[in-house]
Each structure stands twice: as structure tokens, then as C-alpha cells.
Amino acid sequence: MGKQAGAHIVWDWNGTLFHDNAAVVGATNAAFAELGLESITLEQYRALYCVPVPKFYERLLGRLPTEAEWDAMDVVFHRHYTEHRTRCALAEGAVELLTGWTSSGYSQSILSMYGHEDLVPLVRGFGIESHFLRVDGRTGPSGGSKSEHMVRHLGLLAGTVNPARTVVIGDAADDALAARHAGARAVLYTGGSHSRASLEGAGVPVVDTLREAVAEAHRLAE
């Protein structure tokens, strides 16, 4: 393993390893219907989406949603998403990439803002759980940033994983912010929730395939 022994990837789940764009946009439009908003396309979603999520709704409403509006939309979103995620699959080539990284003697984990109690059985159901040192989903309210979750995630891996040799692979600008907050690097993937233009503003490498993301992670972790 040599000098690469400490290389570690923290994978995002939704829109990165899990190709769930159709379910996410459908759930978003179901939530929008609660406030009488028009449906949006995947392209519009990628151009407008941001974290924290209430800011995303502000871009469409022209104001932040009230607490009651947010709560109602959040419930509808998660109900619709849970119903439709069963039609979604892992991203193309994901299993091969996970297997290759593990076989090379490197480590990896998942940190997602999807609820922990839903995430773990979903990952397990795809038969890939053994590739990861940890699988951590969100605990607490939805809609916030990943930064503090990333610090906690890497803290729980302290002694096994060095943040300086860690690369976060995700599909959102917030993944890059979270990586920076925790002392790690990041590579952003255009196949998920953000457009290339919005990702490029994060100041980290942006790639169009997960294979490119893993190759870039290997380079950054040297």
C-alpha cells in the first residue's frame, strides 16, 4: 500500500452513489404543490438547488417559507421520496469503483444528509455495506448543511482516517464546504443535484463521472 495507505474517500449518497434524481425532483414537485408552486425540471432543479434547503425554496417563492410551510413541505417530500426511491439504482459503475478502492487497500465511508434510520438499510440492501468503515446518515432536523456532520463523521474515524488524506466525493457545493470545514479535500460530480456551473464556484475539481472522481481522489490523497 505504501504512501497511499491512508487514502480515504467519504462518499455522499443521494445523487452520488445512489442515482435518485428522478425521485428527488418528483418529491420536490410534490412539496411545491403544497404551496401552489409550479413543477420544475431536473435542469431547473440543478440550476437553483442550494443548502440550506429553505434558501432553495426562497429562490422560487421570493421569500423564505414559514415554519409551518417548511414542515408541511418536508413531510410531503419525504413521503413521496420514500415511495419512489424503490425505482432507483446505484450510479453506473459504482459497485466496481467501490470494490476497486477497497481491493487497493484504501478505506471509504458514507456520510449523507438522508435520515440515518432510512440510509443504513438502503445501503445494506444493495450489498455494499462491507466496503465502508462507517455509514452515517443525518440525525436531527433536515435541510441544513453537512459541515458539522462531516466534522463528527471524521472525528469518529480518528486514528483510522487522516482528514488530510481524505477526499469527499459529492454532487453538491455543500459537500466541498463540509470537506473544507473538516480539513479534507473534495471532488464534485455533475450527475446529481447541481449544475456544472454552480459546482465550479466551489473551487474544487469538478468531474462528469464517478470513475473520474475516484481517479481525482487518488491524486489528491497522495
Side-chain angles (χ1 to χ4, degrees):
M1 294 189 294
K3 67 178 181 179
Q4 280 293 317
H8 182 80
I9 290 175
V10 178
W11 291 95
D12 175 55
W13 179 248
N14 302 96
T16 304
L17 282 178
F18 189 43
H19 188 63
D20 61 348
N21 293 337
V24 168
V25 174
T28 297
N29 285 328
F32 285 173
E34 287 293 295
L35 298 188
L37 294 173
E38 293 184 5
S39 296
I40 62 173
T41 64
L42 175 60
E43 290 70 27
Q44 290 171 316
Y45 180 92
R46 284 174 165 163
L48 295 170
Y49 182 75
C50 63
V51 174
V53 178
K55 285 286 187 180
F56 170 48
Y57 292 142
E58 182 181 27
R59 292 181 174 184
L60 295 150
L61 284 169
R63 61 174 176 80
L64 282 170
T66 66
E67 185 175 348
E69 288 171 336
W70 164 254
D71 288 343
M73 288 191 294
D74 195 46
V75 167
V76 171
F77 177 93
H78 285 98
R79 182 173 68 239
H80 184 100
Y81 178 82
T82 299
E83 292 171 358
H84 289 82
R85 75 182 187 191
T86 55
R87 303 175 187 174
C88 301
L90 294 176
E92 184 178 355
V95 173
E96 178 187 354
L97 292 169
L98 294 173
T99 302
W101 188 261
T102 299
S103 297
S104 296
Y106 313 142
S107 61
Q108 51 199 326
S109 59
I110 292 176
L111 175 63
S112 173
M113 295 302 283
Y114 190 43
H116 184 77
E117 297 303 319
D118 293 310
L119 174 67
V120 172
L122 188 55
V123 172
R124 188 171 296 146
F126 281 111
I128 58 173
E129 186 181 21
S130 63
H131 290 296
F132 308 109
L133 297 180
R134 292 191 63 86
V135 175
D136 288 332
R138 171 186 50 79
T139 57
S142 62
S145 173
K146 187 180 274 188
S147 293
E148 295 304 324
H149 295 270
M150 186 67 71
V151 170
R152 182 167 59 252
H153 180 76
L154 292 182
L156 290 168
L157 292 169
T160 303
V161 170
N162 179 0
R165 302 285 299 283
T166 295
V167 179
V168 176
I169 297 178
D171 69 317
D174 189 55
D175 290 301
L177 293 174
R180 189 174 300 122
H181 190 70
R185 314 289 280 279
V187 178
L188 299 180
Y189 162 62
T190 62
S193 62
H194 278 46
S195 67
R196 172 174 276 277
S198 62
L199 294 178
E200 287 176 341
V204 302
V206 178
V207 299
D208 296 319
T209 68
L210 291 185
R211 183 170 297 280
E212 292 175 283
V214 170
E216 190 67 16
H218 189 281
R219 183 186 70 80
L220 290 173
E222 287 184 350

